[in-house]
Amino acid sequence: MSLPEGAELHIVADDADYRNEGFSDDIRPYLGWEWQQKKKGKVKLWARISQFLAAHFPDAKNAMDMERGLLAQRLRNSRSFAETHAVIAEVKDLDGFNDEHLRYLGEALVENSQVRAIRHDGDVHEFYSGILNKYHSRFDEDLKAKLTELIGS
């Protein structure tokens, strides 16, 4: 398959080999330069397919909703501290959680010992504090009380 001159290349990968060093979500400068030399186009890196879909196909809400659900389930079923941190890193920037997603996220903290044990780590605490603040009225009262007690908000 060949692409025309000036073609924009979109890469969907949550892989450090593509990402610029530091805290950037941009493509590595060399890779951008290489595509510019070959096709006179730009390269855009997306960590998740839902980000790409949201930017280019706003009507593809189903895919983003599925991703939220899958990440919430992954957090609820996390088997290690590393996995918990990895899922939090993916889910922290998402928005638009439905009631089922919120229940899974809440259950992750209340019922999963891996998540609960690191609830005071900066990323985990920040995520749950934000979820509680933003969606407090949508949590079941019992679950909300347990979350508030665990997070301390």
Side-chain angles (χ1 to χ4, degrees):
M1 177 177 176
S2 68
L3 295 172
E5 287 283 312
E8 190 170 66
L9 177 64
H10 295 270
I11 299 173
V12 179
D14 191 19
D15 186 333
D17 290 341
Y18 293 101
R19 197 174 25 250
N20 195 6
E21 294 179 15
F23 294 105
S24 173
D25 289 330
D26 294 331
I27 194 84
R28 283 189 181 268
Y30 175 77
L31 296 174
W33 176 84
E34 188 174 41
W35 188 252
Q36 173 63 38
Q37 295 303 304
K38 283 186 172 194
K39 291 292 181 177
K40 312 273 188 276
K42 295 185 184 213
V43 180
K44 175 70 176 150
L45 179 64
W46 306 91
R48 294 183 304 275
I49 190 70
S50 64
Q51 294 172 327
F52 172 79
L53 291 172
H56 295 279
F57 305 96
D59 294 334
K61 294 194 186 293
N62 245 0
M64 293 179 295
D65 199 46
M66 283 178 50
E67 181 177 7
R68 287 183 205 96
L70 291 172
L71 287 169
Q73 287 178 31
R74 273 184 56 206
L75 189 59
R76 186 177 70 171
N77 299 324
S78 176
R79 295 177 184 248
S80 70
F81 298 155
E83 183 179 5
T84 298
H85 285 296
V87 175
I88 292 287
E90 289 184 64
V91 77
K92 70 179 178 148
D93 295 326
L94 296 180
D95 198 6
F97 295 105
N98 66 30
D99 291 344
E100 182 181 49
H101 303 150
L102 292 170
R103 189 181 85 246
Y104 289 160
L105 293 169
E107 289 172 353
L109 182 63
V110 172
E111 299 173 5
N112 185 319
S113 62
Q114 296 295 314
V115 179
R116 192 173 51 252
I118 59 172
R119 69 185 180 272
H120 296 299
D121 286 9
D123 58 336
V124 178
H125 189 269
E126 182 179 327
F127 172 71
Y128 275 103
S129 292
I131 288 290
L132 268 173
N133 288 334
K134 184 166 189 163
Y135 297 101
H136 69 278
S137 65
R138 297 203 16 229
F139 279 103
D140 166 89
E141 288 302 319
D142 185 48
L143 183 55
K144 183 176 17 177
K146 290 175 184 174
L147 293 170
T148 300
E149 180 183 331
L150 288 168
I151 290 299
S153 302

